[in-house]
Amino acid sequence: MSRKSDILETMKIAVPRQANRSVSFTNKAAAYYFTQTHETNHPEYAWFEGLNIAKNRVFGGYDLFVGDQKLDNRAAEVVVYPYKLERRHGPALVEDLWLFDYKNVLEITLRGATQPLGIALKGDKVHYLRQQDNVAFFSAREGGYLIAVAPKQAQSISIIGQRVSASGDGFYVLVGKGEAEITALLQEVRRNGTGLQQARQDRMRQYLLTNTYLRSSNDSLDLALRWLATTMDQLVTRQQGDGIYAGLPWFNEYWGRDEFIALPGAVLVTGQFETAKQILLSFAKFQQTDKSSRYYGRVPNIVNPSNIDYHTTDGTPRFIIGLQDYVKYSGDTSLIRQLYPNVQASIEGALQHWVDAKGYLLHEDNETWMDARDANLVAYTPRGSRANDIQALWYQQLLAGAYFATYMHDSANKTKWERLAQQVKTHFEQDYRDPQHDYLADRLDKHNQADFTLRPNQLYALDLVDDPAFKHQVIRKTWEELVYPWGVASLDRHDPQFHPFHLAPEYYHKDAAYHRGAIWLWNNGIAMQRMIEAGQTETAYQLFANMNRQALTRGVVGGLSENMDAYPHPGESWPRLTGAYLQAWSNAEQLRIWYQYFLGIRPDMANHLLTLAPRMPASIKNLEYNFLVGKSSVSAQYEAGHMTAYSYTFNDLEAKVIVDVFPFAPTAVVVKKESVLKVEATDQKLAIRLVGKGGKILSEQMVAPSAALLAQREQSTKILSGVSFAQPLDLKLHPVLNQTKK
């Protein structure tokens, strides 16, 4: 596909009737619309059918009529675009559903009708109120909103019960807090509806052709990554300042943990640096600044229109790490100065209230991402008081603080925080390992006992371990026991508390399985990262490709769910999708791994440094793509053959570039504006040439394979050779299925 093709048109996905997939659009502000392509019947999501605004269900979808005949969506042919839903009701009738950017307006058209059209809004408490100026007003389900239904062109309407009918080709459904607001909105969309459609498409085209442009030898790869970028961008909203919805349908709100897990893949690898900055600034306003509070320095776990909650320990380190990621991608060191007091508070608050004598960061049982509790508020997965992933995040938070202290010329805190980080690392290697286990303890409990329950959290903690052989053992162990072809389980399948199905109400409450077996797709990111770091790109890519396939063929169109059952149900070949139908960190981690570890783009623009460490799988033969760092766009190409060739065009970037292509030692090149970096690799040598205008060679280096790197790869391959995905065990081996549901 050339850049001149309509990229949005190429992204359309036809959904067969038997698939009946979820479809979701946001208006990039506080509204989202949910439906299913053919029949909205999902046992958990149907409650949210229709338009939802700021945690309120406004109305529950609609029925369309031609004359007195109601259209049957179950018989429709359905195509989903990034910007609209299209249903064909027979050969002549075509329905389009649009949600406009930053407007609480739906446009619903029906082309090809020869009789008047009718629309009836659905939902309990949605009742006809009155008609004024040929606009029908309805009450909303929640939130005190007023709903208006009006024909697209000003004309008379008729109303029978809940149904509004008119000539023409469709309706606007508008939502506001009063008639004056709705009247102004109706005037705007009638005057500029086509322009609003175009603006929505133009925004998406611009994003896909600049920030996330990609074309490869694999059409499915291209389509999946374009859709993942688009559905991820749906969740970047302005509900309470700039933020990222944690997930839909339940989590249309900002969560500190989810927000900053998602930040790199959602807005940094895709070049949305100003948005990332505003997200950081918005969240910083909610930091607890009361020094007498035990939560002093924490950022919230939840930010929604009615609640601010600080009961999380990992949201705060991830906020600080997210700030560092932003600075490295954007080069904007001014934000360090602005938010350095927040950095100081985050560390000092922890030191005052939550750090033990060894330097570990303490927390309650349910203050990690494994936070589900039962009806008595007892954690299903107690991880207090020193979970391994929390120590890794604390370690990274301290190092990020030292990074910022360097720019602030705060040598005292730089020294203090680096010393504390080293103290955590030193104790960790001693306390979280023992000779009986080839993996890390999941936590130290309040009695200082190591708990060796096998969970995926240790993959995050490997930065605290220096022993390469042990790290590779951990990677193998976790992959073969926890990483299924469809994703990473939250508990070892051999554990007596392992729950093979997330949704199994005949056996147990779903929260009992939430962190004790259910697949969490966001953990796929760290699992793939560790495999790639260990030199096993092909193994990682199998999981990556499976997730792309899911985005294209299962669940919400173009996106990834929150969870899956750990096992397929009997007679089924793939587990059922569960949890939120579209989850920010699931999408974001898939994008992050693509950019940072397959393409290998890892910037530190604050220090004018860019690492390029591509690790491309054999199935990708050629690739053309863009990426943004600092204020610059870089165009890149890749081609595999008897010689592997990479080309990077630096349109307006000057930086030191580290070329890291295995098995050659990382090599530095200083690139200039309008120069092209050409990298060619064979088994015997790596040729690195910097080419200027007119083809003039500005520099040239030849690099031989590194004996040390080859030896390291030999060691990792020896440990990881033949590694396989986890596979389900016989259901009879899981005692939880024999328990009586409480």
Side-chain angles (χ1 to χ4, degrees):
M1 186 201 74
S2 72
R3 289 174 183 253
K4 294 182 180 179
S5 302
D6 187 347
I7 195 168
L8 298 179
E9 178 69 23
T10 69
M11 290 173 64
K12 64 183 180 183
I13 292 179
V15 180
R17 296 170 190 173
Q18 64 271 22
N20 191 30
R21 299 180 66 184
S22 297
V23 178
S24 185
F25 302 112
T26 75
N27 71 351
K28 296 281 290 175
Y32 77 89
Y33 190 90
F34 168 75
T35 187
Q36 287 174 254
T37 52
H38 294 82
E39 182 179 14
T40 306
N41 60 2
H42 192 282
E44 293 196 298
Y45 309 152
W47 176 258
F48 298 93
E49 180 183 15
L51 190 67
N52 300 260
I53 301 176
K55 303 291 291 183
N56 295 289
R57 298 175 303 134
V58 179
F59 66 91
Y62 59 88
D63 290 321
L64 283 182
F65 297 79
V66 176
D68 290 327
Q69 182 66 44
K70 184 171 78 171
L71 300 181
D72 186 354
N73 293 338
R74 294 172 299 179
E77 295 179 0
V78 182
V79 175
V80 183
Y81 296 81
Y83 55 91
K84 73 170 184 177
L85 170 68
E86 177 184 287
R87 294 188 179 105
R88 291 186 174 271
H89 301 276
L93 296 175
V94 182
E95 171 194 353
D96 284 338
L97 166 66
W98 293 73
L99 178 60
F100 294 146
D101 283 357
Y102 307 110
K103 311 288 182 187
N104 293 335
V105 180
L106 288 173
E107 179 183 297
I108 301 157
T109 62
L110 190 67
R111 305 188 303 275
T114 57
Q115 300 180 62
L117 308 182
I119 186 171
L121 302 184
K122 299 188 293 184
D124 58 301
K125 300 183 181 179
V126 178
H127 303 302
Y128 171 68
L129 299 174
R130 61 186 176 276
Q131 176 184 345
Q132 183 172 330
D133 298 328
N134 289 311
V135 176
F137 290 94
F138 295 81
S139 58
R141 300 167 91 177
E142 297 172 348
Y145 290 99
L146 186 64
I147 307 170
V149 176
K152 288 175 61 181
Q153 296 81 29
Q155 58 185 284
S156 62
I157 60 174
S158 63
I159 301 169
I160 301 176
Q162 292 284 100
R163 190 198 316 173
V164 181
S165 298
S167 300
D169 66 349
F171 300 92
Y172 292 121
V173 181
L174 312 98
V175 179
K177 286 293 187 178
E179 287 188 22
E181 178 185 348
I182 287 176
T183 298
L185 194 54
L186 178 58
Q187 291 174 348
E188 179 184 1
V189 296
R190 279 180 170 166
R191 181 177 65 250
N192 191 37
T194 301
L196 292 172
Q197 286 186 353
Q198 192 65 47
R200 184 169 174 85
Q201 292 177 82
D202 287 348
R203 171 180 62 79
M204 293 180 178
R205 280 194 195 94
Q206 178 71 12
Y207 177 59
L208 291 164
L209 289 172
T210 54
N211 297 44
T212 62
Y213 175 71
L214 169 74
R215 182 185 62 80
S216 78
S217 56
N218 186 325
D219 291 343
S220 295
L221 172 69
D222 299 358
L223 183 60
L225 287 170
R226 289 169 188 161
W227 265 105
L228 286 163
T230 303
T231 52
M232 181 67 254
D233 192 55
Q234 278 191 28
L235 300 178
V236 181
T237 66
R238 295 178 181 170
Q239 181 163 285
Q240 280 177 280
D242 290 76
I244 303 170
Y245 279 167
L248 299 175
W250 302 289
F251 308 128
N252 52 327
E253 58 197 1
Y254 306 153
W255 287 59
R257 174 187 300 122
D258 300 56
E259 190 106 342
F260 298 109
I261 289 172
L263 189 82
V267 291
L268 293 179
V269 302
T270 57
Q272 300 178 80
F273 304 140
E274 182 59 30
T275 300
K277 178 178 182 178
Q278 295 307 317
I279 289 171
L280 288 158
L281 288 170
S282 293
F283 228 84
K285 295 175 184 177
F286 296 110
Q287 186 178 33
Q288 177 59 265
T289 56
D290 180 358
K291 292 187 176 182
S292 66
S293 168
R294 68 195 297 250
Y295 300 124
Y296 170 57
R298 281 192 180 186
V299 299
N301 187 33
I302 300 174
V303 175
N304 68 35
S306 62
N307 184 37
I308 306 294
D309 178 84
Y310 291 94
H311 289 85
T312 178
T313 196
D314 49 346
T316 303
R318 287 192 180 277
F319 169 69
I320 302 303
I321 295 163
L323 174 59
Q324 183 181 39
D325 288 339
Y326 163 77
V327 170
K328 287 185 172 183
Y329 268 89
S330 68
D332 175 18
T333 55
S334 68
L335 196 60
I336 298 175
R337 292 188 290 275
Q338 190 169 351
L339 294 185
Y340 192 62
N342 301 82
V343 175
Q344 291 175 295
S346 76
I347 297 175
E348 293 308 316
L351 291 173
Q352 288 176 31
H353 301 289
W354 297 97
V355 173
D356 70 7
K358 288 188 173 182
Y360 293 137
L361 186 60
L362 302 169
H363 54 86
E364 303 295 342
D365 273 341
N366 69 317
E367 288 189 332
T368 77
W369 71 275
M370 292 184 163
D371 55 1
R373 295 188 290 179
D374 65 17
N376 297 314
L377 301 183
V378 176
Y380 281 112
T381 307
R383 299 192 68 228
S385 57
R386 286 152 291 183
N388 57 13
D389 54 322
I390 298 303
Q391 307 321 310
L393 291 170
W394 172 232
Y395 171 75
Q396 292 165 11
Q397 178 184 359
L398 290 167
L399 292 181
Y403 179 96
F404 300 137
T406 300
Y407 283 92
M408 297 301 296
H409 305 291
D410 182 358
S411 58
N413 273 326
K414 178 179 185 296
T415 301
K416 175 183 175 181
W417 295 339
E418 286 178 337
R419 187 182 68 250
L420 283 167
Q422 186 56 50
Q423 179 185 354
V424 171
K425 184 174 182 180
T426 299
H427 286 299
F428 187 92
E429 291 218 57
Q430 298 167 354
D431 294 339
Y432 287 75
R433 291 179 62 178
D434 74 14
Q436 285 74 48
H437 296 89
D438 55 354
Y439 58 93
L440 294 168
D442 187 59
R443 62 167 177 153
L444 301 182
D445 67 18
K446 63 183 180 181
H447 303 295
N448 222 32
Q449 297 300 305
D451 173 6
F452 279 91
T453 302
L454 180 57
R455 301 185 183 280
N457 305 300
Q458 64 191 278
L459 291 171
Y460 297 96
L462 290 182
D463 292 333
L464 293 172
V465 177
D466 287 330
D467 181 346
F470 179 74
K471 291 170 75 168
H472 296 145
Q473 290 172 7
V474 170
I475 293 167
R476 180 168 193 133
K477 181 76 171 183
T478 53
W479 194 276
E480 294 197 326
E481 298 297 342
L482 297 170
V483 184
Y484 296 80
W486 40 83
V488 181
S490 46
L491 182 62
D492 174 17
R493 59 197 169 146
H494 297 98
D495 193 289
Q497 290 300 314
F498 177 80
H499 292 60
F501 308 117
H502 184 193
L503 293 183
E506 66 273 29
Y507 296 115
Y508 42 74
H509 191 282
K510 67 179 183 179
D511 282 350
Y514 204 30
H515 301 111
R516 297 194 293 182
I519 299 290
W520 287 79
L521 276 67
W522 78 278
N523 284 321
N524 295 358
I526 191 64
M528 290 186 283
Q529 176 182 327
R530 296 308 188 200
M531 268 295 174
I532 294 170
E533 289 172 339
Q536 308 302 309
T537 297
E538 299 300 332
T539 301
Y541 191 71
Q542 290 180 58
L543 181 56
F544 186 80
N546 285 346
M547 292 302 97
N548 287 344
R549 193 173 302 112
Q550 177 177 306
L552 295 180
T553 63
R554 303 187 74 236
V556 69
V557 174
L560 295 174
S561 62
E562 178 186 14
N563 302 110
M564 299 173 74
D565 289 335
Y567 286 7
H569 281 254
E572 299 177 11
S573 61
W574 203 257
R576 297 174 187 176
L577 279 56
T578 64
Y581 63 76
L582 178 60
Q583 188 78 354
W585 57 16
S586 300
N587 264 31
E589 278 294 273
Q590 186 80 348
L591 291 168
R592 181 185 71 84
I593 287 301
W594 171 250
Y595 282 94
Q596 291 185 351
Y597 285 89
F598 287 111
L599 297 182
I601 303 161
R602 299 198 284 273
D604 184 358
M605 289 294 100
N607 291 307
H608 307 288
L609 185 66
L610 172 63
T611 296
L612 297 173
R615 300 291 186 267
M616 301 304 298
S619 60
I620 298 177
K621 302 303 181 185
N622 58 67
L623 191 62
E624 179 184 340
Y625 57 99
N626 287 354
F627 62 91
L628 282 70
V629 290
K631 298 179 180 179
S632 304
S633 173
V634 179
S635 303
Q637 293 179 318
Y638 163 79
E639 187 165 352
H642 70 280
M643 177 178 64
T644 303
Y646 308 87
S647 175
Y648 303 91
T649 301
F650 300 98
N651 303 306
D652 52 358
L653 177 68
E654 293 188 353
K656 177 196 265 188
V657 172
I658 305 298
V659 178
D660 181 355
V661 176
F662 183 83
F664 306 96
T667 304
V669 184
V670 177
V671 303
K672 308 291 185 181
K673 291 181 180 179
E674 300 183 8
S675 63
V676 179
L677 181 64
K678 294 184 177 293
V679 180
E680 297 175 344
T682 66
D683 291 341
Q684 292 76 36
K685 68 177 180 179
L686 181 71
I688 304 173
R689 297 181 180 88
L690 187 66
V691 181
K693 291 182 178 180
K696 181 181 179 182
I697 296 178
L698 303 178
S699 67
E700 186 172 15
Q701 300 180 65
M702 298 294 172
V703 185
S706 165
L709 290 176
L710 287 168
Q712 291 174 16
R713 176 65 60 87
E714 183 179 2
Q715 181 193 55
S716 66
T717 300
K718 183 177 180 180
I719 296 172
L720 291 162
S721 178
V723 67
S724 61
F725 284 105
Q727 295 296 328
L729 302 174
D730 190 318
L731 290 175
K732 295 177 182 177
L733 297 176
H734 299 301
V736 296
L737 296 181
N738 299 318
Q739 297 173 0
T740 301
K741 182 185 175 186
K742 294 181 180 180

